[in-house]
């Protein structure tokens, strides 16, 4: 695993790209912001439901990387962020339902089926995202912490040429001996 540590940063960058770019793209499609308009909010929540799926993949990549590279603190940060976003999704789902109920009388009879399908699909995506984020949060909180001795051993191994106890490995020279030239 130590030989693979150099791919940790690119892995996290790929994960961050998956998490940030799709919601940003969806938000850019809805400019200018018209938060007071229920039609705009309904469209916003619908597009954000679509944009929620790729960030889940990015979050999975970040969780897998943090587990593989044993970045337990970062794994806990991801879990806390997952819990916060899950709470936000609960609020968004409530607001989306209110907007759908408010807009339903304005929808023409021929478009009622499409409106219901769009509403239920977006709600399903939010529920799936909520379940996924909740399981990420629970998994990170249940992840075992490194024992104190293991953390200390890892910190001591940062110095090249030392073992976990801080001593030089057997056979290692304290300082290179100059070569003697025989004349």
């Amino acid at each position: 695993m130590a030989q693979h540590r150099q791919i940790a940063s690119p892995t996290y960058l790929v994960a961050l790209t998956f998490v940030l770019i799709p919601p940003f793209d969806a938000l850019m499609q809805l400019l200018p912001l018209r938060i007071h308009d229920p039609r705009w909010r309904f469209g916003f929540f619908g597009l954000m439901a679509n944009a929620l799926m790729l960030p889940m993949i990015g979050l999975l990549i970040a969780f897998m990387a943090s587990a593989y590279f044993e970045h337990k603190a970062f794994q806990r940060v991801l879990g806390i962020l997952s819990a916060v976003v899950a709470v936000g999704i609960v609020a968004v789902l409530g607001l989306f339902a209110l907007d759908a109920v408010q807009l339903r009388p304005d929808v023409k009879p021929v478009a009622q089926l499409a409106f219901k399908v769009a509403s239920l699909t977006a709600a399903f995506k939010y529920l799936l995202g909520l379940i996924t984020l909740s399981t990420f949060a629970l998994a990170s909180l249940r992840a075992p912490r490194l024992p104190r001795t293991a953390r200390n051993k890892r910190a001591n191994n940062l110095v090249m040429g030392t073992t976990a106890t801080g001593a030089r490995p057997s056979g290692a020279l304290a300082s290179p001996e100059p070569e003697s030239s025989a004349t």
Side-chain angles (χ1 to χ4, degrees), residues 1 3 14 20 26 41 51 55 66 70 79 93 98 110 115 141 154 168 171 179 182:
M1 177 175 41
Q3 67 271 19
V14 167
L20 295 180
R41 284 193 311 263
S66 66
E70 297 177 350
L93 195 53
L98 288 174
V110 291
F115 180 77
L141 294 175
R154 259 186 26 189
R168 293 201 175 270
E179 291 183 24

Side-chain angles (χ1 to χ4, degrees), residues 41-56:
R41 284 193 311 263
F42 183 81
F44 170 78
F45 292 140
L47 277 177
M48 284 307 195
N50 289 336
L52 185 64
M53 299 299 107
L54 280 176
M56 295 297 150

Side-chain angles (χ1 to χ4, degrees), residues 47-79:
L47 277 177
M48 284 307 195
N50 289 336
L52 185 64
M53 299 299 107
L54 280 176
M56 295 297 150
I57 294 170
L59 196 56
L60 177 64
I61 292 169
F63 267 107
M64 295 299 289
S66 66
Y68 180 77
F69 297 117
E70 297 177 350
H71 297 157
K72 300 297 182 186
F74 186 63
Q75 194 172 8
R76 294 204 186 280
V77 168
L78 288 173

Side-chain angles (χ1 to χ4, degrees), residues 11-34:
T11 303
Y12 288 130
L13 286 173
V14 167
L16 184 67
T17 301
F18 271 106
V19 169
L20 295 180
I21 299 296
F24 178 78
D25 283 345
L27 184 61
M28 290 299 108
Q29 293 176 15
L30 294 166
L31 291 178
L33 301 178
R34 294 185 307 267

Side-chain angles (χ1 to χ4, degrees), residues 98-144:
L98 288 174
D99 285 338
V101 168
Q102 184 178 2
L103 288 177
R104 188 173 172 189
D106 295 341
V107 177
K108 294 179 182 175
V110 291
Q112 283 289 333
L113 180 61
F115 180 77
K116 287 178 186 177
V117 169
S119 299
L120 290 175
T121 302
F124 177 73
K125 288 178 183 178
Y126 279 125
L127 287 173
L128 188 60
L130 177 64
I131 292 167
T132 304
L133 288 166
S134 299
T135 56
F136 280 145
L138 288 174
S140 74
L141 294 175
R142 291 181 180 166

